[in-house]
Amino acid sequence: MNSRPFVTVTRQGTSTYRKILLASGLAGVTLGVGVGASIIHDPFLISRTKRVSTFWAIMFPIYAHYRVTEWWFSITKSSPTQQEQAYDSLHNIYAPVILRLILNLRGLFIKIGQVGAMRGDIVPDVYQKQLAQLFDKVPALSGKEAREIAEKALGRPLEEVFESFDDEVLGSASIGQVHRAVLRKSHCPKDIPSRTVAVKIKYPEAEGLFKQDLEIAKQFARLAQPEHVPTLNELQKQFLGEFDFEREAWAMDYIGKSLHNEFSSRVRVPRPILPLCKKDIIVMEFLPGSKLGNVVKEVAEELGLSIQEMMEMVRGSSRWKLWTGALLKRIVDSVKYDAVFVWNWTFGLLGYQKEYPEPSKIALINSEKLLQTLFEVHGHQIFNDGLFNGDPHHGNILLLPDGKIGLIDYGQVKSLSRKEKRSLARFIVALAEDDKEEIVRLARGMGYETQKNDPYVIYKSSVVGFDRDGPEVCEGDSSLFCSLNL
């Protein structure tokens, strides 16, 4: 079990007690400003200071509890088992609290939580499981509010553009949410097979809260985990592009066309309706699929396993059982489909048509083919186009009923120059050959630095960041290079 402390122990710098005093001062100033804002009745300042106060009122006691526990262990010389049990207890208490705080504050904190959910190398298991809910359970605005935002973004009544607009949300995230709609014929391109579209709208306050939330996150990182401040600086640059929906629509169109010739039999990228894509709204082709993460959960349930047990089966010698089960499900699904097809074209012609059955979720998963396709697609984007999706998490991958993979959400698109593509290609080859000197040389050449620029640390960090993070690389501790003062 991953029972690392939520707050990483730093080897140098400010003492725990000075940090706690500093945080107390920050919290006190924040609350004081909040009271002052209430007195002067500035709505914007009141909203802003309430947000800051809410964060520190919850996060500071959590931080202090972990630090005091850490201090107690240092003077009592507790055994590793006792420490593990104590930290597990804290994780179980505070992981749900932090999830509720994120869902309350929304904004950038949702995105940071999503990143944490995918970082098993630095985030304890209990927190990962709680934060994973941020991919699917983010509270959405009401249908009425969504309609108002969409109309304002389009600059005209929805009835002029859509025959229907569903109030029920398809998905919600940190900066916006998605609804299903049906276009009027006059607005639907002739080469798009269906008039059913997905409409992505941006929350009005999202961009305004971004910088404030980031500064709050940086303040906490400086206090609790200073080694992650550079990561937040990079996230700042990365997230800024997400607010430009017109750029996202352009990137989606460009990447979709680029992938079409080579990958159209395996991959679909939703096509944007460019005349209807504005700064705060994207109208795109609707892909009827299930998110990869949801399918994995459902497959585990079909097999009567936990996700962890199923993943161990996939990696282990008993994975043939999973593939055999998938093959049998595909055969059963095929027989059911053929039976309905025969019925509909015989007795069904008399007036009673049967619905075609939904395929079993396990039949949709062919992990080796899926991974191979994803590697090829992203390799094509990086090395051929020099334009790629910088946020390809499982929530942005759909498994479609026809067996294809749907790739969505191009808010965090990155570009590489020709020189950068060549350097990265050489770097990947050096990693494959485990050429330590070449790895370090190329990493430095691409601008990678650590505090001391130790070649050993640069090599290990490169392998963990770009290749693999197993025990043989991390020397038995997957958190090793996250807790080092690099």
Side-chain angles (χ1 to χ4, degrees):
M1 179 178 291
N2 183 342
S3 59
R4 297 184 300 281
F6 179 71
V7 191
T8 305
V9 180
T10 55
R11 301 184 178 184
Q12 298 175 351
T14 310
S15 70
T16 296
Y17 307 105
R18 289 181 62 191
K19 287 187 173 185
I20 290 178
L21 287 173
L22 173 62
S24 300
L26 283 170
V29 169
T30 298
L31 291 171
V33 172
V35 172
S38 299
I39 294 173
I40 63 176
H41 300 295
D42 183 332
F44 176 76
L45 189 57
I46 291 172
S47 174
R48 181 175 178 178
T49 52
K50 279 184 177 178
R51 191 172 181 84
V52 178
S53 300
T54 298
F55 177 88
W56 280 104
I58 293 175
M59 288 303 299
F60 174 67
I62 295 175
Y63 167 76
H65 197 168
Y66 274 97
R67 281 301 191 191
V68 169
T69 301
E70 174 193 326
W71 168 77
W72 179 252
F73 289 151
S74 70
I75 65 172
T76 60
K77 308 299 181 184
S78 304
S79 69
T81 300
Q82 290 173 319
Q83 293 186 32
E84 180 177 333
Q85 291 173 347
Y87 281 128
D88 283 344
S89 177
L90 292 181
H91 298 340
N92 284 316
I93 292 170
Y94 291 126
V97 175
I98 290 178
L99 176 64
R100 287 195 296 271
L101 175 65
I102 291 173
L103 292 174
N104 179 29
L105 295 178
R106 301 170 62 94
L108 176 68
F109 296 108
I110 289 175
K111 182 62 69 175
I112 293 175
Q114 289 174 336
V115 172
M118 297 184 290
R119 293 298 304 272
D121 52 343
I122 58 176
V123 177
D125 296 340
V126 176
Y127 280 93
Q128 274 193 283
K129 289 175 183 176
Q130 288 288 330
L131 296 176
Q133 299 179 52
L134 296 172
F135 290 110
D136 300 306
K137 297 183 179 179
V138 179
L141 297 181
S142 68
K144 180 177 181 295
E145 291 172 298
R147 286 171 176 269
E148 291 172 353
I149 293 171
E151 283 194 346
K152 183 177 180 181
L154 289 168
R156 57 183 128 171
L158 292 186
E159 292 75 15
E160 290 185 11
V161 180
F162 305 109
E163 283 187 3
S164 63
F165 185 96
D166 289 356
D167 286 342
E168 185 177 351
V169 68
L170 290 174
S172 56
S174 55
I175 68 170
Q177 62 191 54
V178 180
H179 291 257
R180 189 193 324 235
V182 177
L183 283 173
R184 291 195 176 278
K185 288 183 180 180
S186 57
H187 289 285
C188 186
K190 294 180 180 179
D191 55 346
I192 290 185
S194 172
R195 289 190 289 127
T196 302
V197 292
V199 181
K200 181 177 179 179
I201 58 171
K202 183 166 66 180
Y203 299 137
E205 77 283 3
E207 197 165 355
L209 292 174
F210 174 83
K211 290 182 179 178
Q212 178 192 346
D213 289 350
L214 189 68
E215 194 52 45
I216 296 172
K218 284 183 181 180
Q219 285 178 352
F220 184 75
R222 291 186 192 105
L223 175 73
Q225 295 181 308
E227 68 273 19
H228 294 316
V229 173
T231 302
L232 289 172
N233 289 333
E234 179 59 30
L235 288 177
Q236 179 176 6
K237 291 185 275 185
Q238 188 167 318
F239 293 157
L240 281 173
E242 285 205 61
F243 296 108
D244 188 348
F245 278 14
E246 287 178 305
R247 182 175 183 274
E248 179 177 347
W250 167 82
M252 188 189 309
D253 187 58
Y254 182 93
I255 292 173
K257 288 176 178 176
S258 173
L259 295 178
H260 180 75
N261 289 338
E262 188 171 347
F263 297 98
S264 59
S265 63
R266 292 180 284 166
V267 169
R268 287 182 66 185
V269 175
R271 179 174 166 185
I273 316 300
L274 291 176
L276 299 176
C277 296
K278 311 293 182 185
K279 183 177 180 295
D280 298 323
I281 190 169
I282 298 176
V283 180
M284 70 195 102
E285 182 183 9
F286 174 76
L287 298 185
S290 301
K291 291 181 179 180
L292 176 61
N294 294 342
V295 173
V296 169
K297 292 177 186 175
E298 292 178 27
V299 168
E301 290 173 1
E302 281 188 33
L303 297 172
L305 302 171
S306 68
I307 294 178
Q308 184 65 31
E309 289 170 336
M310 189 177 77
M311 291 299 99
E312 290 174 359
M313 180 183 288
V314 169
R315 298 188 194 102
S317 58
S318 60
R319 61 181 176 181
W320 64 269
K321 295 179 182 179
L322 184 62
W323 308 147
T324 302
L327 177 61
L328 291 174
K329 289 285 187 179
R330 289 191 188 102
I331 293 172
V332 171
D333 286 346
S334 179
V335 170
K336 289 180 179 178
Y337 184 94
D338 291 343
V340 173
F341 178 84
V342 171
W343 174 275
N344 286 345
W345 285 94
T346 53
F347 299 105
L349 296 175
L350 301 177
Y352 178 66
Q353 294 278 317
K354 290 187 176 181
E355 292 286 334
Y356 285 97
E358 283 286 327
S360 168
K361 296 300 182 185
I362 194 173
L364 293 176
I365 288 188
N366 181 334
S367 63
E368 292 184 9
K369 179 182 176 183
L370 174 67
L371 290 174
Q372 183 66 31
T373 298
L374 291 174
F375 278 126
E376 289 179 16
V377 164
H378 286 89
H380 179 93
Q381 290 178 39
I382 292 169
F383 295 110
N384 284 55
D385 299 333
L387 186 73
F388 62 96
N389 187 348
D391 190 27
H393 61 72
H394 57 73
N396 292 338
I397 300 171
L398 304 179
L399 297 184
L400 308 182
D402 60 4
K404 295 182 182 180
I405 301 170
L407 301 176
I408 61 174
D409 195 345
Y410 290 83
Q412 292 184 37
V413 170
K414 300 294 180 184
S415 60
L416 296 175
S417 67
R418 193 168 184 175
K419 179 182 178 181
E420 289 169 333
K421 288 192 291 184
R422 281 199 294 263
S423 296
L424 181 59
R426 293 189 183 105
F427 184 64
I428 297 299
V429 171
L431 285 167
E433 296 175 350
D434 198 26
D435 186 338
K436 296 180 176 61
E437 290 186 5
E438 183 70 357
I439 290 169
V440 172
R441 185 185 72 80
L442 289 167
R444 285 173 170 167
M446 290 187 291
Y448 183 75
E449 295 180 347
T450 66
Q451 183 174 327
K452 300 175 183 177
N453 278 323
D454 184 333
Y456 172 78
V457 174
I458 292 176
Y459 164 71
K460 286 287 189 176
S461 300
S462 298
V463 174
V464 171
F466 288 86
D467 191 10
R468 62 196 187 280
D469 62 355
E472 79 286 356
V473 176
C474 298
E475 301 172 12
D477 183 3
S478 64
S479 66
L480 175 64
F481 295 98
C482 297
S483 59
L484 282 175
N485 188 357
L486 303 180

